[in-house]
Amino acid sequence: MGAPLIQIFIYTYMNINDFIISHRCSVLEALSRLNTLPGTAMTLFVCADGNRLLGTLTDGDIRRSLIAGHQLSDPVELVMHRQCVAFKGNISIAEVKRLRQKRITLIPHIDAEGRIVDILDFNRIRSMLPIDAVLMAGGKGERLRPLTLNTPKPLLKIGDKCIIDYNVEALARCGVKHISVTTNYLAEQLEEHFSVPVADVNVQCVREPYRMGTIGSLALIEEFHNDTVLLMNSDLLTSIDFEDFYLAHINNDDDLTVASIPYMVSVPYGIFVLDGDQVRSVEEKPTYNYYANAGIYLIKRSRLDIIPRGEYFDATNFMDALIERGFKVSHFPINGTWIDIGSPNDYKHAQDLMQHRNSLINL
């Protein structure tokens, strides 16, 4: 099953009029406009009346036009690039990925009449995943005490940022706009934290009336906007590629896709291979490789009705229930960073990793 077409959503992080110029404007005016564009974007979209897209214009286009003999007083429609990429209607995530890999920075979204209604900036957003996300943040973090006596674990700082905010920002960069956080322990602190948007996303807090397990609180979410729901622990530090994760889930037509991490067990002894009491062979200091649950899940929304309302229910219970009913459960190996910040050593490792990353960025 291929990745479905998805509805284009509005992801405006800028005033799109800053990037639109009339086809009647002069090349000189275009140069002035390019010089004042926000951020690192250096493209103008040339439009006729009503923001109807005609072409694009960069400083490179202007430079080449002047070399070819055009004047600064010429209208920009004479020097614009007429073959431009735009989203129209629906588009697949695979196509979004392909265009991003071509290093196109700004892509306009146009309506049926060719008018620009939004601009996708790949400097700010890397994808447009049609998913709802739920971050579980209700645990007490007892192994991290005394750090968590007065602060919920998701609000502990890694570098200069709360653990949970790394995950919210990563999802926001993938275009996820519907993010909920389930809370219990010191819930009021998380509610206060998310009383203002994080990464331009209004995060909804949902308080558990009691401990509901690692997936039971999903039943408290009143409304989902998409057919796929991402559930993850909020205290993870990970570089998982949410886009590839989603594409694997959709292309495999999974009912549940579980992110996994490789886990190796080395036995420092010779291990007997037995047939009853008889030794058939000896494996000297063998190593066994497994995949372990990373605490990140993609779920078909239609399967959420398996989760009992108002009961304690773990993700492992959910997996067992799906498998027993014959539904498809697959795993997606994480290729990159994954740290479950559950102990003081894990917390220190995450701090050291972030400090090292920041030192490289500042070089």
Side-chain angles (χ1 to χ4, degrees):
M1 180 179 179
L5 295 178
I6 64 165
Q7 180 64 40
I8 294 290
F9 298 95
I10 301 300
Y11 292 108
T12 302
Y13 286 82
M14 77 286 275
N15 182 354
I16 65 173
N17 290 323
D18 290 341
F19 297 85
I20 293 174
I21 189 169
S22 169
H23 64 294
R24 301 188 185 92
C25 289
S26 68
V27 171
L28 180 61
E29 183 175 345
L31 281 172
S32 177
R33 290 281 303 280
L34 285 168
N35 195 49
T36 60
L37 283 180
T40 59
M42 293 298 292
T43 301
L44 290 170
F45 296 99
V46 181
C47 294
D49 297 337
N51 286 355
R52 182 169 56 84
L53 181 63
L54 300 179
T56 60
L57 189 67
T58 67
D59 56 354
D61 295 324
I62 294 176
R63 183 175 64 254
R64 287 185 289 272
S65 72
L66 293 176
I67 293 173
H70 286 282
Q71 305 298 313
L72 290 174
S73 58
D74 287 341
V76 293
E77 63 180 335
L78 297 181
V79 304
M80 68 183 181
H81 183 68
R82 297 180 181 274
Q83 301 299 320
C84 57
V85 177
F87 292 151
K88 185 176 182 180
N90 299 333
I91 189 169
S92 72
I93 293 299
E95 178 66 6
V96 171
K97 184 175 182 178
R98 186 188 69 82
L99 291 173
R100 189 182 69 245
Q101 290 173 340
K102 292 179 67 174
R103 300 187 181 279
I104 299 174
T105 302
L106 296 176
I107 302 180
H109 169 213
I110 59 177
D111 63 16
E113 284 72 43
R115 297 186 297 260
I116 295 179
V117 295
D118 195 17
I119 297 172
L120 180 65
D121 182 357
F122 281 136
N123 285 323
R124 298 169 182 262
I125 294 178
R126 68 183 306 271
S127 194
M128 300 184 300
L129 300 185
I131 64 175
D132 290 57
V134 180
L135 305 182
M136 296 176 288
K140 293 184 177 181
E142 292 177 330
R143 288 184 294 159
L144 276 170
R145 290 185 174 179
L147 294 175
T148 54
L149 283 174
N150 299 306
T151 303
K153 183 166 62 169
L155 294 186
L156 293 178
K157 294 289 187 71
I158 300 292
D160 60 354
K161 193 179 303 180
C162 296
I163 298 170
I164 194 172
D165 287 350
Y166 286 100
N167 295 314
V168 172
E169 290 177 3
L171 291 166
R173 284 194 298 273
C174 289
V176 179
K177 282 295 184 184
H178 301 288
I179 300 177
S180 300
V181 173
T182 59
T183 66
N184 185 295
Y185 177 66
L186 300 177
E188 64 282 353
Q189 292 190 34
L190 285 155
E191 291 165 356
E192 181 180 359
H193 179 77
F194 289 113
S195 63
V196 295
V198 174
D200 293 309
V201 176
N202 292 308
V203 177
Q204 175 191 12
C205 287
V206 179
R207 188 181 296 203
E208 295 177 334
Y210 42 81
R211 291 183 67 244
M212 301 184 69
T214 54
I215 201 171
S217 60
L218 267 184
L220 299 176
I221 308 299
E222 294 182 355
E223 181 182 11
F224 290 107
H225 301 81
N226 295 284
D227 292 331
T228 304
V229 176
L230 181 139
L231 176 70
M232 70 179 292
N233 297 334
S234 65
D235 54 1
L236 300 175
L237 192 65
T238 178
S239 60
I240 185 174
D241 189 318
F242 287 111
E243 186 179 65
D244 284 347
F245 187 27
Y246 171 80
L247 288 173
H249 176 76
I250 293 299
N251 291 335
N252 292 336
D253 194 22
D254 289 336
D255 295 285
L256 170 68
T257 310
V258 185
S260 61
I261 55 167
Y263 190 80
M264 183 176 69
V265 178
S266 296
V267 181
Y269 309 106
I271 299 298
F272 294 148
V273 177
L274 299 174
D275 181 4
D277 292 334
Q278 189 172 0
V279 176
R280 292 299 184 186
S281 64
V282 179
E283 295 183 28
E284 190 63 36
K285 299 180 180 179
T287 296
Y288 302 100
N289 294 297
Y290 302 96
Y291 281 100
N293 185 354
I296 310 173
Y297 314 87
L298 281 173
I299 310 166
K300 275 187 181 177
R301 185 175 66 174
S302 58
R303 305 299 175 228
L304 295 179
D305 58 4
I306 293 174
I307 300 172
R309 298 190 65 85
E311 296 182 21
Y312 185 99
F313 202 64
D314 280 331
T316 50
N317 302 131
F318 183 60
M319 280 186 262
D320 289 340
L322 287 172
I323 293 168
E324 288 172 2
R325 288 165 170 79
F327 292 122
K328 188 175 181 181
V329 177
S330 300
H331 82 106
F332 174 84
I334 295 176
N335 181 21
T337 300
W338 181 89
I339 303 174
D340 179 10
I341 305 173
S343 69
N345 285 339
D346 296 327
Y347 187 53
K348 183 179 185 306
H349 177 44
Q351 293 279 19
D352 292 343
L353 181 68
M354 192 57 60
Q355 184 177 9
H356 177 65
R357 192 198 74 167
N358 290 339
S359 67
L360 292 178
I361 292 173
N362 293 329
L363 287 178

